Amino acid sequence: EEVIAECGDADPEAVDRAGALAKKAFDDGRWSRKSPGERSAALLKLASLMEGKAADLALLESQNAGKPMKLAADGDIPFAIDHLRFFAGAARHLEGTASAEYVTGYSSIIRREPLGVAGLIAPWNYPLMMSVWKAAPALAAGNTVVLKPSELTPLTTLEFGRLALEAGIPQGVLNVLTGAAQTGRAITEHPDVALISFTGDTNTGRAIMGQSAPTLKRCHLELGGKAPFIVFEDANLEAAVAGAAVAAFVNSGQDCTAATRV
């Protein structure tokens, strides 16, 4: 129960500054108008930088989240790096629909374009992994990002932001803000934010839908669940018991898909 770090609590003015930076970075095309290959190369470089610091990131994740070191070092950090590489590849395969006839006498094409500024709010149970899960696809598609980690576990996400700059992702493209509910609300209500991605509890998700509605933001919400663990009559009971224990208590039981009933 020792203090290991202190971080700022971003107020609405700080969120406004971050939103303006992200909007400017999107509008001037320093990221959104880069070729898919250029965005892919930057994300791959970021993944390599993270891989070079994987041991440090795992230790920091374990210290900040109270996460078992084995889970951080063997699971969360490698998975986050792999996810980043996956979306670096996906950046080069943003498929639309080639010329087609929908109305007589006209030819149409469908192309996929970035929305603009994505507001991303990550939880505390998989801090870096969830931040990467949200940021990697948004960046791969050419969006700019305002990313808020949980106020309880911000340290590895701050490192992620620093490494993004080192990888050559332009200033203003990935903005990491630390803070609690006030910060999150300022992001979800911000007029320049086009999309909100949130992972957390259901009541907060309901509030975010309401806060996003006046500006018609797109919302991607991953909320709470109640996961059953079902054991069939012909199951190997010894294996089922072991599986149920892992399903309920992996990551110290802090998991949105944790088995909560058998």
Side-chain angles (χ1 to χ4, degrees):
E1 297 184 354
E2 296 176 0
V3 174
I4 60 171
E6 293 186 4
C7 295
D9 189 5
D11 58 18
E13 289 74 24
V15 174
D16 278 341
R17 289 194 296 273
L21 281 171
K23 183 73 162 56
K24 185 175 187 298
F26 181 79
D27 289 344
D28 68 17
R30 73 184 80 162
W31 183 253
S32 58
R33 289 200 287 273
K34 281 187 180 295
S35 71
E38 290 174 311
R39 291 200 299 271
S40 177
L43 293 175
L44 287 171
K45 185 173 181 182
L46 174 54
S48 294
L49 289 171
M50 289 174 64
E51 192 168 51
K53 294 183 176 292
D56 294 336
L57 289 169
L59 180 60
L60 190 60
E61 196 82 314
S62 177
Q63 290 172 331
N64 192 183
K67 183 182 291 286
M69 187 64 191
K70 178 179 174 57
L71 190 65
D74 297 345
D76 294 14
I77 305 305
F79 198 17
I81 294 166
D82 184 63
H83 193 84
L84 197 55
R85 287 185 171 135
F86 175 89
F87 276 100
R92 306 190 74 154
H93 297 279
L94 295 174
E95 298 176 352
T97 301
S99 181
E101 308 297 326
Y102 297 103
V103 178
T104 303
Y106 296 90
S107 294
S108 302
I109 63 169
I110 296 173
R111 56 177 283 151
R112 299 185 182 277
E113 295 184 343
L115 287 170
V117 181
L120 312 177
I121 302 173
W124 41 261
N125 55 345
Y126 295 95
L128 180 60
M129 193 168 74
M130 292 299 298
S131 289
V132 171
W133 279 14
K134 293 179 183 299
L139 293 170
N143 298 287
T144 56
V145 163
V146 176
L147 169 60
K148 190 192 89 65
S150 166
E151 68 274 18
L152 303 175
T153 54
L155 301 184
T156 49
T157 302
L158 289 169
E159 289 301 314
F160 176 59
R162 292 189 186 101
L163 290 173
L165 288 173
E166 192 177 331
I169 293 175
Q171 185 85 34
V173 171
L174 174 59
N175 306 275
V176 179
L177 288 175
T178 57
Q182 172 188 235
T183 310
R185 180 167 191 138
I187 293 171
T188 59
E189 293 180 343
H190 198 284
D192 289 334
V193 172
L195 173 144
I196 294 293
S197 175
F198 167 77
T199 298
D201 73 89
T202 304
N203 287 334
T204 304
R206 289 193 186 100
I208 286 173
M209 286 192 76
Q211 293 158 16
S212 302
T215 47
L216 297 177
K217 290 174 173 47
R218 299 189 188 196
C219 282
H220 182 280
L221 307 175
E222 183 198 356
L223 308 177
K226 186 71 174 171
F229 188 94
I230 301 171
V231 182
F232 287 99
E233 191 173 10
D234 61 348
N236 178 327
L237 285 182
E238 191 172 324
V241 167
V246 171
F249 296 110
V250 70
N251 197 41
S252 305
Q254 307 300 338
D255 195 296
C256 55
T257 57
T260 52
R261 52 204 167 103
V262 177

